[in-house]
């Protein structure tokens, strides 16, 4: 049973435009969410996170939005740059479980078109 | 300086063999992890150690045995390798906090069992 879902396996966006990556979760115990970026033959790299006490967190070109009632989060990248082309993983954890157990989605491959 | 390193990067071996993957982190973190990314690109936690103590053991065959000689190292031993063990294995580390858990990943070890 996949508790974290990324329903779009791929996304193509023109350079300079906004990229929006989506993630849905089913377990209401999740209270901490992260986005990771992964290039081929490398490990996932932490990008940005959000706690369930917030609905938005911003870091430079990256903003994560959390809608707890819909159990949905999204990552906005603006403006998109060619170096943003990678696979993006959404992940979630629950503080009541000790937060060590991250549950990952299956990833969305983002391609930025120059 | 590499924060989380793994050796080897590639490992090709025959069915039935025993092999080890090493992981080291120089971030001063107290928690380390092993993840498996299968052919469907699904990243799933296998084990977690905090200060050399096992805290997460997901349903993993007992052919897989993690060993943590100190909190900077977490090695993965796999006995009697099977074809289905072919995957990319990622090591990660984090500093355990009450409310958040940002994990930092190594570059991965691609294991191919023939």
């Amino acid at each position: 049973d996949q508790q974290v879902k990324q329903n779009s396996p791929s996304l193509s966006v023109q350079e300079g435009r906004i990229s929006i990556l989506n993630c849905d979760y089913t377990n209401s115990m999740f209270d901490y969410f992260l986005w990771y970026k992964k290039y081929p033959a490398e490990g996932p790299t932490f990008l940005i996170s959000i706690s369930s006490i917030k609905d938005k967190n911003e870091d430079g070109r990256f903003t994560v939005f959390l809608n707890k009632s819909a159990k949905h989060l999204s990552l906005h990248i603006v403006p998109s740059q060619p170096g943003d082309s990678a696979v993006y993983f959404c992940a979630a954890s629950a503080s009541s479980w000790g937060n060590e157990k991250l549950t990952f989605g299956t990833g969305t491959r983002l391609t930025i078109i120059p | 300086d590499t924060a989380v390193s793994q050796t080897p990067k590639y490992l090709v071996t025959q069915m039935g063999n025993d092999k080890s993957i090493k992981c080291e982190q120089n971030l001063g973190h107290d928690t380390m992890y092993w993840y498996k990314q299968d052919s469907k690109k699904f990243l799933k936690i296998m084990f977690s150690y905090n200060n050399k103590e096992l805290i997460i053991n997901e349903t993993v065959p007992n052919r897989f045995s993690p060993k943590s000689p100190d909190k900077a190292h977490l090695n993965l031993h796999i006995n009697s390798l099977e074809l289905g063990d072919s995957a990319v294995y990622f090591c990660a580390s984090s500093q355990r906090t009450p409310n958040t858990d940002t994990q930092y990943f190594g570059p991965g070890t691609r294991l191919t069992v023939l």
Side-chain angles (χ1 to χ4, degrees):
Chain A
D1 178 31
Q2 212 170 315
Q3 299 184 64
V4 178
K5 299 178 185 179
Q6 294 175 257
N7 292 319
S8 298
S10 62
L11 176 68
S12 294
V13 174
Q14 206 77 32
E15 181 180 358
R17 307 291 284 266
I18 183 170
S19 295
I20 300 176
L21 296 102
N22 293 304
C23 178
D24 297 293
Y25 62 96
T26 57
N27 196 325
S28 56
M29 300 287 286
F30 289 143
D31 54 10
Y32 186 62
F33 305 89
L34 308 91
W35 283 95
Y36 282 83
K37 175 180 177 180
K38 186 181 180 303
Y39 292 119
E42 293 184 14
T45 303
F46 170 71
L47 204 54
I48 192 168
S49 62
I50 188 167
S51 165
S52 60
I53 60 173
K54 294 184 175 182
D55 54 19
K56 177 183 173 182
N57 188 25
E58 194 171 350
D59 183 2
R61 297 186 297 115
F62 303 93
T63 303
V64 56
F65 295 91
L66 175 63
N67 182 333
K68 288 187 291 293
S69 60
K71 293 191 176 68
H72 176 83
L73 64 155
S74 60
L75 175 69
H76 292 212
I77 307 173
V78 56
S80 300
Q81 298 174 354
D84 296 330
S85 295
V87 177
Y88 289 78
F89 289 95
C90 169
S93 68
S95 54
S96 57
W97 299 344
N99 266 325
E100 290 84 10
K101 184 177 174 182
L102 282 185
T103 301
F104 281 84
T106 50
T108 295
R109 180 177 300 279
L110 176 65
T111 303
I112 305 302
I113 304 162
Chain B
D1 263 352
T2 305
V4 182
S5 59
Q6 297 177 226
T7 53
K9 192 165 176 65
Y10 300 95
L11 184 54
V12 181
T13 188
Q14 299 285 335
M15 257 186 1
N17 283 350
D18 304 336
K19 290 293 178 185
S20 295
I21 307 171
K22 294 186 178 181
C23 177
E24 177 181 2
Q25 56 95 4
N26 62 8
L27 297 167
H29 288 164
D30 59 6
T31 306
M32 295 186 72
Y33 312 79
W34 277 107
Y35 284 83
K36 179 180 180 181
Q37 187 179 35
D38 59 24
S39 57
K40 295 181 180 177
K41 308 301 181 187
F42 194 39
L43 194 63
K44 191 168 181 183
I45 192 166
M46 300 172 68
F47 300 102
S48 172
Y49 269 72
N50 177 261
N51 282 319
K52 304 197 298 175
E53 182 183 340
L54 181 67
I55 53 172
I56 294 176
N57 184 351
E58 290 294 290
T59 311
V60 176
N62 58 14
R63 298 182 296 103
F64 290 78
S65 54
K67 297 275 194 299
S68 182
D70 55 61
K71 72 174 194 176
H73 296 84
L74 181 63
N75 304 322
L76 184 65
H77 302 274
I78 315 171
N79 295 325
S80 303
L81 278 156
E82 300 178 357
L83 293 175
D85 297 333
S86 295
V88 182
Y89 292 84
F90 290 99
C91 176
S93 73
S94 71
Q95 185 60 35
R96 199 179 195 185
T97 61
N99 300 311
T100 65
D101 188 5
T102 299
Q103 296 178 20
Y104 296 87
F105 284 77
T109 296
R110 181 174 292 278
L111 171 65
T112 304
V113 182
L114 304 174

